[in-house]
Amino acid sequence: MLYTLALQRLMFNHYISAPMLLQIAGSAEKVFLARGDIRQIFPDATPVVCSLLSGSWDDDLRYAEREILWCEKNNIRILSLLSDEYPQRMKSCLDAPLALFYRGTADINTPHILSVVGTRGATPYGKDAVHRIIHDLHNLVPDTLIVSGLAYGIDIAAHREALNEGMMTVGVLAHGLDRIYPAVHRNSAVEMLRQGGLISEFPSNTTPEKYNFIRRNRIIAGMADAALVVESKAKGGSLATARIANDYNKEVFALPGRISDIMSEGCNNLIADNKALLVSSAEDIVSALGWVTEEKKKDKMKNGIELPLFKELTPEEQAVVDILSRDDMHQSMLCTLCGIPYGKLSAILFEMEMKGLVRIQAGGFYHLIV
């Protein structure tokens, strides 16, 4: 972990190249050992990256040592991009952080994860929609993890509704885990540590600067199956999250509003531009993602499913079979190779497990049963 944190600090402004470099090298320590001629292991390294890595790592390694000690004292886990604990949905994103700082109790690789974002100036209409959708989602798919940014408005409304429903909820922060911003949300944040968690790519002593919020939006989008935008002006941070989710091949949902409502203009534009699916209920989300409801799951467990012949597979199931017939594979990589959104793929893999076609193994890898 020492070299991973040092590498993340070194390449903080080169976060497109960093994950590729780490994954190709296999470890941050190997990057350190090859720093004199990084093109040995990463031929596509730019001159800037080569110069950056060949310089002194002393300050960065000392920083990493201090940060590891601080995390140990404060019960904060450091999740490396190469570890199984890391948010698997984020791993398939080209700009994934090399490490994330996490404190909490939620399984951030649970089968169902939804990001909820929106304006800081939420109206009663938006807050009521958040309440209704999360309440109904709890009844339909109770293990859903709600992710948001702990900001004013829709973000904190989503976190608090999840807490009220007994659902896990994780806040993605734009600063270190040594502070809470805004401070008025501290009580909710403390409750989330027991019923969810807080996560950030930023180390301790990082202040909530404007640019950090832009960076953190990619984590809100990347660690979930889909993003729901509830109220947004024509321009806003939640629209950036929606754009990133689209780039990640995630589903994006938007709550429509009256054309005269300024706070609904962004959502209406997303829908009109085919950048988001219109959503008015939790059922819309569950159906679009192909999530298995609690009722359907119990029914299948009770009655069982007969093993079909391979010729009866759906096109999506056949695509999964074709890939797994070559080798076992993690869901994040299956998602990339199949081109199927993560949430929908989770439902497909569940169906295939029930049919006896695949089984999940240690580390989240899927194995084809033949």
Side-chain angles (χ1 to χ4, degrees), residues 22 80 93 95 106 128-129 136 243 278 304 315 340:
L22 182 61
S80 165
C93 305
D95 53 0
D128 179 66
D136 292 344
R243 177 184 56 76
L278 186 155
I340 302 172

Side-chain angles (χ1 to χ4, degrees), residues 158-201:
H159 289 308
R160 287 171 176 164
E161 289 297 340
L163 290 171
N164 290 338
E165 293 292 340
M167 299 167 73
M168 291 287 179
T169 181
V170 168
V172 184
L173 307 184
H175 47 79
L177 297 187
D178 55 338
R179 69 187 71 212
I180 296 298
Y181 178 84
V184 294
H185 295 163
R186 175 171 296 278
N187 288 343
S188 295
V190 170
E191 192 174 352
M192 288 164 64
L193 293 177
R194 297 189 295 268
Q195 192 179 312
L198 302 174
I199 195 166
S200 177
E201 71 172 310

Side-chain angles (χ1 to χ4, degrees), residues 196-237:
L198 302 174
I199 195 166
S200 177
E201 71 172 310
F202 299 102
S204 59
N205 297 313
T206 303
T207 55
E209 304 295 336
K210 182 177 180 180
Y211 180 68
N212 295 352
F213 289 91
I214 298 173
R215 283 183 68 116
R216 73 94 189 264
N217 287 344
R218 80 188 198 285
I219 300 174
I220 294 176
M223 66 182 291
D225 298 312
L228 168 63
V229 184
V230 181
E231 292 196 313
S232 172
K233 292 183 178 180
K235 295 182 180 180

Side-chain angles (χ1 to χ4, degrees), residues 1-2 5 63-73 78:
M1 191 57 69
L2 179 71
L5 289 185
Y63 142 79
E65 288 177 346
R66 292 194 302 270
E67 198 64 25
I68 289 171
L69 286 174
W70 183 84
C71 288
E72 289 175 349
K73 291 178 181 178
I78 306 174

Side-chain angles (χ1 to χ4, degrees), residues 192-322:
M192 288 164 64
L193 293 177
R194 297 189 295 268
Q195 192 179 312
L198 302 174
I199 195 166
S200 177
E201 71 172 310
F202 299 102
S204 59
N205 297 313
T206 303
T207 55
E209 304 295 336
K210 182 177 180 180
Y211 180 68
N212 295 352
F213 289 91
I214 298 173
R215 283 183 68 116
R216 73 94 189 264
N217 287 344
R218 80 188 198 285
I219 300 174
I220 294 176
M223 66 182 291
D225 298 312
L228 168 63
V229 184
V230 181
E231 292 196 313
S232 172
K233 292 183 178 180
K235 295 182 180 180
S238 56
L239 298 184
T241 304
R243 177 184 56 76
I244 295 168
N246 275 315
D247 291 343
Y248 288 163
N249 196 31
K250 312 266 187 179
E251 292 286 9
V252 177
F253 303 101
L255 179 77
R258 294 181 301 185
I259 59 174
S260 59
D261 290 345
I262 294 176
M263 290 301 180
S264 291
E265 190 173 354
C267 289
N268 290 342
N269 289 342
L270 284 173
I271 296 167
D273 294 339
N274 292 319
K275 297 294 179 62
L277 297 176
L278 186 155
V279 64
S280 60
S281 67
E283 287 85 351
D284 294 339
I285 296 171
V286 171
S287 176
L289 293 176
W291 284 357
V292 179
T293 64
E294 191 69 9
E295 182 179 352
K296 188 176 180 182
K297 186 186 297 184
K298 290 178 180 178
D299 184 58
K300 288 186 176 184
M301 291 296 186
K302 179 180 178 180
N303 299 321
I305 301 177
E306 293 182 6
L307 179 64
L309 298 175
F310 271 32
K311 67 180 182 180
E312 297 176 2
L313 297 178
T314 66
E316 291 88 355
E317 289 174 336
Q318 187 62 57
V320 172
V321 167
D322 291 342

